[in-house]
């Protein structure tokens, strides 16, 4: 089967490019990784007056940020009461910061005029079964107790918003929305440069070490010496000589997009909400500004199960929207998610004024933007009390490779069996 391209690469209005780093440079802060976290950190540190150098091994948004579904969610996959049990002394402030994170994203888009197709009409967490309906009802109870503007929809209300009758109900979160994720990452990078940051693409870090009162970041063409360092590589971390991101479970998520649709899909997601369901092998559904239907699920477009996943996606779309008939996909791509054992993100302390952020577990846009801003403030102000979570000295998840393989195999088996409604 002929490979298909990443839609976000083809449709992004924002353009960005930066030269590789060549030679020796000094900075107040070196950021490693040009995704949501890294670009947000570079932007906010530079705006605060710091001399910032960001290096990216490929191009801005090459990793998960440019392969994302584009859902700007409030909160995490883990529900509030579970977060409270896992981190009882931090949960209240952490949840409050996450609740406000979509507003941070959309404020940045507005203030920097980022052309990323922003739509803030909320998201729909779809109940694919009676058990799923009980799950979202419980989430509604927990979120409502925190004052979140969430609404539990019945099957009829869900069908009216979705444009199809296939689900038992939905949880609508008015705080959330959608963006074109690669364009958003590029827009953050553009804004960072405008604030004075120096960005370098095609510049992989090969070594990281503390040397006296500064950090040395080695690259193929030279070196960055900086007072502080933020490692923001997440699921696309590459091995380097020195401290890095500890092993976490790598999970693949693919998306397939149709051509722009007109009257044949006029009723589908008229409000522009982004959706995902309660299935164990989760499905996502959204549209872009051009009217394409974009269906996603666990699985890789770069592994042996590719044809199985695409076949399932065709059947699934036909089952959801029968009026589309045999609608071909024009784009198909996948990306990796860094998932921790408890689905909570971490900030790892690498050393003095050195941090790594990772483990968003599929919620990269709003939390990544928030963590990047908070880490920038921490190194500029030399204080950690504004971080969303307390830094840890070490992190270890067991059987990460096995868990990742199990999820990929499970998704392939489910998709081989047919479309799940």
């Amino acid at each position: 089967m002929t490979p298909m391209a990443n839609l976000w690469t083809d449709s992004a209005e924002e353009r960005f490019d930066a030269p590789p780093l060549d030679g020796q440079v000094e900075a107040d802060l070196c950021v490693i990784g040009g995704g949501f976290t890294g670009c947000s950190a570079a932007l906010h540190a530079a705006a605060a007056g710091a001399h910032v150098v960001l290096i990216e091994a490929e191009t801005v948004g090459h990793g998960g940020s440019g392969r994302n579904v584009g859902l700007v969610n409030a909160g995490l996959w883990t529900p509030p009461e579970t977060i409270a049990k896992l981190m009882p002394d931090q949960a209240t402030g952490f949840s409050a910061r996450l609740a406000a994170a979509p507003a941070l994203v959309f404020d940045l888009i507005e203030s920097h005029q980022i052309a990323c197709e922003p739509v803030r009409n909320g998201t729909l967490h779809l109940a694919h079964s009676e058990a799923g309906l009980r799950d979202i009802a419980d989430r509604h109870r927990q979120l409502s107790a925190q004052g979140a503007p969430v609404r539990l929809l019945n099957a009829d209300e869900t069908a009216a918003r979705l444009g199809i009758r296939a689900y038992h109900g939905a949880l609508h979160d008015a705080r959330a929305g959608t963006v074109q994720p690669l364009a958003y990452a590029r827009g953050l990078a553009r804004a960072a440069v405008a604030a004075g940051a120096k960005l370098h693409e095609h510049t992989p870090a090969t070594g990281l070490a503390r040397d006296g009162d500064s950090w040395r970041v080695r690259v193929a063409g030279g070196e960055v010496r900086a007072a502080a360092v933020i490692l923001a590589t997440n699921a696309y971390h590459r091995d380097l000589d020195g401290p890095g991101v500890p092993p976490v479970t790598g999970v693949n998520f693919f998306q397939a997009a149709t051509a722009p649709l007109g009257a044949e899909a006029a009723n589908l997601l008229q409000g522009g909400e982004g959706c995902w369901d309660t299935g164990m092998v989760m499905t996502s559904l959204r549209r872009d500004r051009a009217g394409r239907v974009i269906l996603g699920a666990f699985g890789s477009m770069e592994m042996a199960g590719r044809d199985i996943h695409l076949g399932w996606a065709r059947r699934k779309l036909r089952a959801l929207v029968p009026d589309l008939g045999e609608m071909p996909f024009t784009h198909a791509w996948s990306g990796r998610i860094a998932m921790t054992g408890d689905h909570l993100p971490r900030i790892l302390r690498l050393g003095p004024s050195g941090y790594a952020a990772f483990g968003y577990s599929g919620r990269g846009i709003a939390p990544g933007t928030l963590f990047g801003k908070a880490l920038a403030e921490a190194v500029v102000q030399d204080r950690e009390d504004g971080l969303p979570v307390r830094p840890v000295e070490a992190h270890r998840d067991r059987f990460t490779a096995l868990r990742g393989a199990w999820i990929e195999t499970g998704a392939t088996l489910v998709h081989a069996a047919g479309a799940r409604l």
Side-chain angles (χ1 to χ4, degrees):
M1 183 177 292
T2 304
M4 289 184 279
N6 182 340
L7 169 64
W8 306 137
T9 303
D10 287 351
S11 68
E13 293 182 49
E14 289 280 348
R15 295 287 185 264
F16 184 84
D17 62 83
L21 177 65
D22 183 21
Q24 313 290 317
V25 298
E26 293 188 0
D28 298 318
L29 168 65
C30 179
V31 179
I32 304 172
F36 302 132
T37 303
C39 290
S40 176
L43 166 59
H44 287 98
H51 177 200
V52 180
V53 172
L54 181 150
I55 58 173
E56 160 58 44
E58 299 289 344
T59 57
V60 164
H62 168 81
S65 298
R67 304 161 192 264
N68 196 282
V69 175
L71 304 184
V72 185
N73 287 301
L76 297 174
W77 196 347
T78 307
E81 290 179 0
T82 304
I83 293 175
K85 292 177 181 177
L86 292 170
M87 44 189 300
D89 60 336
Q90 302 182 69
T92 300
F94 181 46
S95 294
R97 297 284 295 276
L98 290 171
L104 170 63
V105 171
F106 288 105
D107 286 348
L108 288 171
I109 291 169
E110 176 64 25
S111 61
H112 297 288
Q113 292 297 289
I114 300 175
C116 62
E117 305 181 20
V119 178
R120 199 177 184 187
N121 286 348
T123 53
L124 294 169
H125 192 179
L126 304 167
H128 81 292
S129 65
E130 289 292 343
L133 185 59
R134 290 191 294 271
D135 175 57
I136 63 170
D138 191 53
R139 289 174 182 268
H140 175 263
R141 176 188 62 79
Q142 294 182 44
L143 291 167
S144 296
Q146 294 185 331
V150 292
R151 183 182 170 207
L152 189 63
L153 309 179
N154 62 31
D156 289 339
E157 293 169 316
T158 301
R161 278 187 177 270
L162 197 58
I164 54 177
R165 184 173 291 277
Y167 294 94
H168 295 252
L171 181 63
H172 179 258
D173 191 334
R175 301 169 294 181
T178 62
V179 295
Q180 210 277 23
L182 177 58
Y184 174 59
R186 288 176 176 176
L188 289 177
R190 171 177 58 78
V193 171
K198 305 296 183 184
L199 270 65
H200 298 278
E201 296 178 311
H202 305 291
T203 305
T206 59
L208 175 63
R210 185 73 179 173
D211 184 7
D213 59 356
S214 64
W215 290 92
R216 293 175 57 199
V217 183
R218 296 196 308 276
V219 302
E223 181 181 273
V224 183
R225 185 178 286 271
V229 66
I230 294 173
L231 186 59
T233 49
N234 201 29
Y236 285 77
H237 181 72
R238 298 184 180 188
D239 289 338
L240 49 73
D241 181 14
V245 174
V248 293
T249 301
V251 180
N252 295 300
F253 197 89
F254 80 89
Q255 295 175 79
T258 69
L261 302 179
E264 68 270 42
N267 294 326
L268 184 62
L269 287 171
Q270 294 183 69
E273 301 95 338
C275 310
W276 75 100
D277 72 11
T278 55
M280 182 175 295
V281 181
M282 186 187 77
T283 301
S284 66
L285 183 69
R286 61 162 297 188
R287 301 190 72 175
D288 69 353
R289 180 172 291 172
R292 300 176 180 89
V293 177
I294 307 165
L295 184 72
F298 288 120
S300 173
M301 291 288 102
E302 301 171 4
M303 299 174 68
R306 177 179 184 273
D307 289 357
I308 291 174
H309 297 313
L310 277 177
W312 168 86
R314 292 190 183 92
R315 296 191 300 274
K316 179 72 172 180
L317 185 59
R318 189 164 61 243
L320 287 173
V321 196
D323 291 344
L324 292 183
E326 295 292 336
M327 180 59 63
F329 293 121
T330 61
H331 295 77
W333 68 101
S334 59
R336 289 197 306 277
I337 295 168
M339 189 173 290
T340 60
D342 56 13
H343 300 158
L344 298 183
R346 298 291 195 278
I347 294 175
L348 177 70
R349 186 181 286 107
L350 303 176
S353 299
Y355 303 96
F358 60 94
Y360 301 118
S361 298
R363 296 292 183 95
I365 298 179
T369 304
L370 168 65
F371 273 55
K373 178 177 185 289
L375 285 167
E377 292 169 349
V379 298
V380 169
Q381 299 171 12
D382 193 24
R383 52 188 299 179
E384 296 181 346
D385 55 350
L387 292 174
V389 293
R390 195 175 303 128
V392 297
E393 304 297 330
H395 174 78
R396 184 185 179 193
D397 280 336
R398 302 179 66 188
F399 310 118
T400 54
L402 185 62
R403 289 177 61 205
W406 180 82
I407 293 171
E408 180 69 32
T409 300
T412 303
L413 292 173
V414 168
H415 292 164
R420 172 182 48 77
L421 294 176

